[in-house]
Amino acid sequence: MYGPSGRSHVGNFVLQAKGSNLLTKPYLRSGGVGDGNQLAAALALGADGVNCGTRFCATQECSWPDSYQQRMIEAQETDTVLMLRRLKNTSRVFQNKVAEEVQQMESSKGQDFQFSNVAHLVNGKRGRQAGQDGDADGGIWMAGQVIGLIHSIPTCQEVINDMVKEAEETIQIRLASMVVVPRSRL
């Protein structure tokens, strides 16, 4: 199945419900998960857990430069872009100067767009150099829309503890309060 950054425009809410109906083995929900409410929603829709990528890139243990992490804190959920879609190799990345260059090239070339048009912008060497230099605009770096939910740089343990606590509160308090118990007719 392909989600929003795949080849279709089917959202994760629909994909997860479909996955719950079709899959017979345990599965993890990936993409856009950064807090306990989303964990609770994933569990409610049938997932057995979640996979968090971007959220753990904004932790004290992550080796990403401080400049990248600071940009994540300042970002909104709309500060990512999908690139290389025409090549069926879609990636969601942080919207920085290089990502905008790639988007412009992809748009201007249209159907004639080829990877060679942007290889010099997205190659690993350039990205590694940008990371070493702490230059958040110097290369492409992956980031999901969950950046709009990131407001601090905690430890990994704090992320997990907060996520589990929030999920438990969501399930035990918010969701439990919505269950209507039938009244006895006696």
Side-chain angles (χ1 to χ4, degrees):
M1 292 188 288
Y2 299 107
S5 62
R7 286 177 237 151
S8 70
H9 292 282
V10 180
N12 276 322
F13 226 51
V14 170
L15 286 176
Q16 187 161 342
K18 186 169 185 174
S20 174
N21 292 330
L22 296 176
L23 300 174
T24 59
K25 305 231 185 224
Y27 70 95
L28 300 178
R29 160 75 167 85
S30 293
V33 179
D35 68 21
N37 288 321
Q38 292 168 309
L39 170 58
L43 296 173
L45 284 169
D48 295 280
V50 295
N51 173 37
C52 302
T54 301
R55 183 62 197 101
F56 283 97
C57 292
T59 59
Q60 293 175 23
E61 292 88 346
C62 182
S63 62
W64 278 19
D66 292 343
S67 58
Y68 286 37
Q69 292 182 341
Q70 187 58 41
R71 291 284 289 275
M72 292 171 79
I73 289 172
E74 295 166 358
Q76 299 297 313
E77 60 278 1
T78 54
D79 291 333
T80 66
V81 296
L82 295 173
M83 62 178 217
L84 306 181
R85 227 178 177 159
R86 282 187 171 87
L87 303 177
K88 295 183 172 50
N89 188 25
T90 307
S91 295
R92 183 174 293 282
V93 301
F94 188 82
Q95 186 172 355
N96 63 10
K97 291 176 183 173
V98 175
E100 289 170 358
E101 257 187 271
V102 171
Q103 275 194 300
Q104 191 279 329
M105 180 67 71
E106 209 169 339
S107 177
S108 69
K109 292 279 186 181
Q111 295 301 323
D112 295 328
F113 178 72
Q114 298 178 12
F115 182 74
S116 59
N117 299 131
V118 294
H120 66 287
L121 296 171
V122 301
N123 70 34
K125 182 179 178 185
R126 182 178 181 139
R128 282 188 298 280
Q129 187 63 52
Q132 289 171 0
D133 295 343
D135 181 1
D137 280 310
I140 295 296
W141 45 286
M142 301 295 188
Q145 293 173 316
V146 75
I147 59 173
L149 300 175
I150 296 172
H151 307 293
S152 64
I153 307 295
T155 65
C156 289
Q157 189 64 59
E158 289 169 331
V159 169
I160 293 168
N161 292 348
D162 290 349
M163 190 175 284
V164 169
K165 180 181 177 197
E166 186 176 33
E168 288 174 344
E169 289 172 354
T170 299
I171 293 166
Q172 293 172 351
I173 299 169
R174 178 165 167 62
L175 296 180
S177 72
M178 295 179 175
V179 175
V180 177
V181 180
R183 293 184 185 187
S184 173
R185 294 183 180 199
L186 297 177

